[in-house]
Amino acid sequence: MDLGQEKAAKVLADCESVFVISHIDADGICSAAIADIVLTRADITHSIAFVKQLDDTVLNRLPDAPLWFTDLGSSALDFLADRKAVVTDHHQIAGDWPPIEKGERSTLDAFESPTECHVVNPHLKGLDGGVEICGAGTTFLVGRAMDRQNEDLAHIAVVGAIGDLQDRRSGRLEGINRAILMMAINHGTIGIIEDLRYFGRETRPLTKFLQFAEDPKIPGIDGEDTAMRFLSGLDIPTTRDGHPLRWIDLDDYERQSVVERITQLVLIEKGEVPLSSILGEVYLLPEEDPGTPLREAKEFGTLLNSCGRYGFSSLGLDVLRGDRTDSYLRALDLQRNHRRNLMDALYQVRERLDRQGDLMFFVSPPSVKETIVGIVANMLLGRSDVPELPIFAFAEATDPFSEESMIVVGDAHVIEEAVRPDEEQEKLLKVSARGPRSLVDRGLDLGVVMRTATAEVGGFGGGHNIAAGGVVPAGTAETFMRAAEKVVEEQLGPGWARP
Ligand code: C5P
Ligand code: C5P
Ligand code: ZN
């Protein structure tokens, strides 16, 4: 499990103060929380800033202090090569690293940095940063290397990995994630159960739990009525003592009858059903109260996304640090808001889904925030009436510092100056891309598609093979899509979409 964390830990341990830059999603917030706790324990003063992405506006305003990039940084290593910095990330690396002449590279250890910038990233070991380990995981490895006591933070790395959907490929955490999971289990902060993997086991009313079930959808359930009928057919009530029942409220017999019925229905519709796609590992946090979103890793991750993607990453950070009062209550409000927004967005965007060649795309209405279009694209991709093709989602990009740039810990003034943009921003479009696993297995790499096609129209982007994002100048969407089509064809071969 050597990803270069020991060297990175030494660099950080020698710093008096550190400026942490993290991403606004669940994994980014988990990464920042680990960095924050680790630095506090080591008595290293620090500030934390959350950003939507690492663009020039951010890079040109970094303070003159040692930097720790968490859950981002790998797209900007050229820029960071001369800085005293640690990057704990899992995104694909843009360009060459370590920064030396190509011929000499093979003589260097992947983590040997001839500069003061140290990168901890699974891609340097040829591992897939989409499934092996997330940003919070790499940050955790460095924290643990600084002090073994920090191993008690493993559950935060698990929530980060689940928040980033790293368990999607096999229905369970794999690779280094699994090793980190085991540490959390040893510390009693995570427990594994075998159960339905649908979202909302702790908090959703049963009807909604079934109605919005995905991957696989439950055949015949397409709304509240059909969900109710499904339950009454099994003699399962939807309320008890006037309260809506949730999945966790059912007894073993009731749960088993639901699982059997779903399996039957999927079998009838699809002809076969690997039981593992319905049942699988569910990760619980035993120290949290049952019936709250903090009790289960997927719901916890969504709560954090509900904060960060709306400009309130600091609330998620507070919750990870243990707040169960003010910040937690606000986070719950934001989660309700997030659920509503996703439903509204899905409804509006469904009509706008279009095709260019063999790629799907939609341009969101202004009411749909750029920070959630990727989630919406993913939801569309999971629907049985949507073809299994890559999907590109466009949304108007807003000022990167309008709400997301905030000061969480440390000296507000320094960060304020560090990140406040002073010139007019050119109008930009945010692009999010998501691909079906089946195409990724055949060679689709959306990270590469995004890097290449955004560069062709004067934008920038990157990410993972299965999910990537970027920014392009307004008015270039069509040219971008043509460039993307070309790269996808190079990856999958001519006529790839026709069987
Ligand atoms: O920035 P970061 O790497 O943390 O985000 C990973 C993104 O990839 C998340 O938005 C996650 O939802 C997405 N993803 C996905 N499908 C997968 C794995 C990850 O859409 N199978
Ligand atoms: O923003 P979105 O959810 O679509 O991002 C998908 C993946 O692409 C995430 O892992 C994100 O960090 C990454 N991304 C990136 N560079 C960007 C935008 C997104 O690497 N400019
Ligand atoms: Zn991540």
Side-chain angles (χ1 to χ4, degrees):
M1 235 194 322
D2 179 21
L3 294 187
Q5 64 267 31
E6 300 289 340
K7 278 179 202 152
K10 280 204 184 79
V11 171
L12 288 170
D14 284 344
C15 294
E16 271 175 30
S17 74
V18 173
F19 188 93
V20 179
I21 303 104
S22 198
H23 191 209
I24 55 154
D25 71 356
D27 185 27
I29 301 173
C30 287
S31 309
I34 293 173
D36 178 43
I37 298 170
V38 160
L39 293 170
T40 304
R41 285 177 177 174
D43 228 359
I44 299 170
T45 56
H46 56 283
S47 307
I48 303 175
F50 288 98
V51 296
K52 278 191 276 196
Q53 62 206 354
L54 209 50
D55 54 20
D56 287 349
T57 327
V58 178
L59 291 171
N60 291 325
R61 288 170 177 78
L62 293 169
D64 190 18
L67 303 167
W68 187 357
F69 292 88
T70 65
D71 193 31
L72 37 72
S74 302
S75 61
L77 295 180
D78 282 356
F79 188 93
L80 299 177
D82 297 331
R83 294 294 309 260
K84 180 164 186 171
V86 164
V87 176
T88 49
D89 190 16
H90 66 132
H91 292 93
Q92 292 173 352
I93 292 171
D96 288 333
W97 190 264
I100 46 160
E101 293 304 313
K102 272 207 164 114
E104 299 170 42
R105 176 180 304 274
S106 55
T107 61
L108 255 195
D109 179 295
F111 309 112
E112 195 105 27
S113 177
T115 75
E116 280 201 275
C117 177
H118 291 268
V119 183
V120 178
N121 184 320
H123 290 284
L124 290 174
K125 276 256 171 167
L127 300 173
D128 182 352
V131 288
E132 286 273 346
I133 186 168
C134 63
T138 51
T139 306
F140 166 78
L141 291 185
V142 170
R144 181 171 173 270
M146 284 171 78
D147 184 343
R148 272 302 173 100
Q149 184 205 342
N150 293 325
E151 199 171 292
D152 65 348
L153 306 177
H155 61 290
I156 303 181
V158 169
V159 173
I162 297 295
D164 255 11
L165 310 182
Q166 297 220 319
D167 60 334
R168 269 253 175 121
R169 183 165 76 180
S170 58
R172 65 213 291 268
L173 288 174
E174 318 170 32
I176 307 174
N177 277 325
R178 194 132 198 108
I180 297 175
L181 172 69
M182 292 308 152
M183 291 181 213
I185 290 172
N186 281 339
H187 279 268
T189 47
I190 294 277
I192 306 183
I193 58 166
E194 186 86 0
D195 201 356
L196 266 189
R197 284 170 46 82
Y198 292 145
F199 181 84
R201 70 190 307 279
E202 300 287 331
T203 64
R204 268 191 168 162
L206 259 184
T207 44
K208 287 221 155 48
F209 179 71
L210 299 174
Q211 179 187 342
F212 295 111
E214 281 183 19
D215 204 12
K217 281 187 86 60
I218 307 172
I221 298 189
D222 52 12
E224 187 107 19
D225 302 355
T226 38
M228 296 254 262
R229 232 173 293 139
F230 174 94
L231 289 166
S232 66
L234 296 172
D235 269 340
I236 297 175
T238 52
T239 57
R240 194 171 290 152
D241 305 329
H243 296 290
L245 284 180
R246 301 155 300 184
W247 179 249
I248 52 165
D249 297 319
L250 301 188
D251 62 32
D252 288 349
Y253 177 78
E254 289 169 326
R255 288 195 212 187
Q256 200 186 334
S257 60
V258 171
V259 171
E260 276 170 14
R261 186 75 189 122
I262 294 174
T263 312
Q264 252 174 16
L265 290 171
V266 175
L267 191 64
I268 293 167
E269 189 185 76
K270 299 203 160 146
E272 59 169 354
V273 50
L275 204 59
S276 60
S277 71
I278 294 174
L279 286 177
E281 288 187 355
V282 173
Y283 306 109
L284 298 180
L285 288 88
E287 289 174 357
E288 303 294 343
D289 290 337
T292 70
L294 308 180
R295 176 75 167 184
E296 188 260 325
K298 232 188 282 189
E299 290 205 59
F300 202 150
T302 301
L303 184 80
L304 297 175
N305 270 321
S306 311
C307 297
R309 290 178 190 266
Y310 296 85
F312 297 99
S313 302
S314 64
L315 294 179
L317 187 63
D318 286 346
V319 172
L320 285 166
R321 284 191 194 127
D323 178 291
R324 296 294 176 269
T325 53
D326 294 358
S327 294
Y328 177 52
L329 294 177
R330 286 184 64 200
L332 289 177
D333 260 350
L334 284 167
Q335 185 175 35
R336 282 186 279 274
N337 171 62
H338 182 49
R339 281 181 184 172
R340 225 178 10 249
N341 281 344
L342 287 181
M343 287 307 127
D344 287 353
L346 199 59
Y347 180 76
Q348 293 187 55
V349 154
R350 181 76 189 87
E351 304 294 302
R352 293 166 172 250
L353 191 59
D354 210 335
R355 239 173 120 143
Q356 178 160 325
D358 289 322
L359 304 181
M360 290 188 295
F361 74 96
F362 65 81
V363 181
S364 330
S367 58
V368 179
K369 237 175 131 50
E370 64 179 298
T371 48
I372 64 164
V373 286
I375 301 178
V376 176
N378 232 348
M379 290 165 87
L380 280 175
L381 205 54
R383 293 174 61 124
S384 51
D385 55 345
V386 171
E388 275 201 28
L389 298 173
I391 178 166
F392 292 77
F394 295 89
E396 202 176 299
T398 50
D399 170 0
F401 297 105
S402 52
E403 357 164 44
E404 279 78 16
S405 162
M406 71 199 77
I407 296 85
V408 182
V409 197
D411 185 342
H413 184 65
V414 175
I415 307 175
E416 201 71 19
E417 272 180 12
V419 294
R420 178 107 8 238
D422 44 22
E423 69 262 11
E424 259 308 280
Q425 294 277 321
E426 128 189 63
K427 270 220 167 311
L428 299 170
L429 275 180
K430 164 74 198 292
V431 199
S432 279
R434 298 291 186 271
R437 168 65 58 190
S438 55
L439 292 180
V440 171
D441 290 343
R442 282 170 56 190
L444 176 72
D445 188 336
L446 290 174
V448 174
V449 173
M450 200 52 91
R451 267 203 304 283
T452 318
T454 51
E456 275 193 33
V457 295
F460 64 93
H464 310 285
N465 51 20
I466 200 156
V471 168
V472 295
T476 63
E478 212 179 311
T479 322
F480 164 86
M481 285 298 291
R482 270 199 298 275
E485 267 190 280
K486 240 174 68 200
V487 187
V488 172
E489 188 170 289
E490 277 160 24
Q491 292 174 348
L492 298 174
W496 61 269
R498 282 160 287 282

